[in-house]
Amino acid sequence: MYDLIGKVLIGAVAISVLLSSLALFVSRISLNRHVRLAGIFAWILDLFYLPIKYFFCKLSDPRILDSWMVSLKNIAHYHAFRRTRNRIMLLPHCMRNLDCPAHASRYGIQCKECGRCIVGQLKRDAQKYGYRFYIITGSSFVKHVLKEKPADGILVVGCNYEINKGMRFLRDKGVIAYGVPLESDGCYNTSISYEKIAGILEEFGPVDGSL
C-alpha cells in the first residue's frame, strides 16, 4: 500500500515538473510571438507559482518569471478584453513627477494635469476611449474600486510583479486584466512609453459610445 502511494506521489511530482517546465518554455516564447493554449499554460504557472518563484529566486531573477507570465496572460486575455464594455485604467503613483501637486483621495491620486509628466495626457486619452482612470497607491485600492464601481476589464500599468499579482487576484473576481509593463520600475520616477499605451488604447478601441 505504502509502495503504491509512494509511486503515485512520485508520478504526481514528475507530471507537475513536466507541466511547469513546458508552461515556462511556452511563456518564454510568448515574449516574441503568439502561442496557442496560452490560457491553459498561464493557469498551470499560477497553480505552481510559489514553488516556481522559489527556484527563480535561487537560480535567477524572479522578475523574469513575472514578465513571462504577464506576456502569456496578455495573449490569453486579448480577445476577452476586446469584448469588455466597462473598463478601468490603473496607473501606479510612482509614475508621477517628484513635484506632483496632486493630492490623494479615496479614489486614488487626483491628477491635476499640470504637464510635468505624461500622466495627465494618459488620463485624457483613457477618458476619451471610455475608461475610468485611477492613479493608485497600492494593490489594495483595486478591491475598493471594484467594490464601489464594478468593471469587467482593467488595463493595468505597473511593474511585472504588481501586474501579475493583480491578474491573479482579478481572475477570481471574473475581471479581465491586460498588463502594460513599465520600462523602468522602482519607487519613484518610473517611466513608460506614451506611444506604447496610446497604441494599445487604439488597438482595443473605445468602449461603445465613447468616441
Side-chain angles (χ1 to χ4, degrees):
M1 180 65 178
Y2 291 110
D3 182 59
L4 177 60
I5 293 175
K7 290 180 179 179
V8 170
L9 290 175
I10 293 173
V13 171
I15 292 173
S16 299
V17 171
L18 178 62
L19 290 175
S20 298
S21 299
L22 179 59
L24 282 172
F25 175 73
V26 172
S27 68
R28 172 64 181 84
I29 293 176
S30 75
L31 294 174
N32 301 310
R33 64 184 177 88
H34 181 82
V35 296
R36 295 180 179 275
L37 305 178
I40 294 176
F41 289 119
W43 178 82
I44 292 172
L45 291 180
D46 275 341
L47 183 63
F48 299 109
Y49 179 72
L50 291 180
I52 293 174
K53 186 148 192 174
Y54 172 81
F55 284 107
F56 265 81
C57 289
K58 293 294 184 180
L59 304 175
S60 183
D61 185 345
R63 292 176 296 183
I64 294 175
L65 172 63
D66 290 309
S67 69
W68 292 1
M69 292 181 68
V70 169
S71 175
L72 190 64
K73 291 176 182 180
N74 277 348
I75 293 174
H77 297 174
Y78 182 84
H79 293 292
F81 191 85
R82 286 181 66 90
R83 293 192 295 269
T84 58
R85 290 294 176 264
N86 187 357
R87 299 176 189 165
I88 290 174
M89 178 190 283
L90 298 179
L91 261 63
H93 72 98
C94 59
M95 286 182 59
R96 295 186 297 159
N97 184 277
L98 288 176
D99 296 321
C100 176
H103 64 276
S105 75
R106 62 181 299 189
Y107 295 110
I109 305 297
Q110 298 301 298
C111 176
K112 294 188 175 182
E113 301 180 40
C114 66
R116 297 176 186 177
C117 65
I118 67 169
V119 172
Q121 182 61 55
L122 292 177
K123 175 184 177 181
R124 292 189 292 272
D125 289 348
Q127 293 173 342
K128 171 184 174 183
Y129 280 89
Y131 292 69
R132 299 202 309 273
F133 180 87
Y134 299 97
I135 306 169
I136 62 174
T137 56
S139 56
S140 60
F141 178 81
V142 180
K143 301 177 183 178
H144 170 71
V145 170
L146 291 177
K147 183 177 181 180
E148 293 202 0
K149 298 182 178 181
D152 58 356
I154 298 184
L155 186 66
V156 187
V157 179
C159 65
N160 282 299
Y161 169 74
E162 290 294 341
I163 294 175
N164 191 30
K165 178 181 176 182
M167 284 178 159
R168 291 163 61 207
F169 166 75
L170 293 170
R171 178 197 61 195
D172 297 330
K173 302 297 180 181
V175 179
I176 306 300
Y178 192 91
V180 187
L182 293 166
E183 295 183 356
S184 65
D185 53 21
C187 298
Y188 57 88
N189 271 356
T190 57
S191 64
I192 194 167
S193 166
Y194 168 75
E195 290 74 17
K196 182 178 182 179
I197 300 185
I200 289 174
L201 287 172
E202 183 176 357
E203 184 175 356
F204 282 119
V207 178
D208 287 347
S210 60
L211 285 179

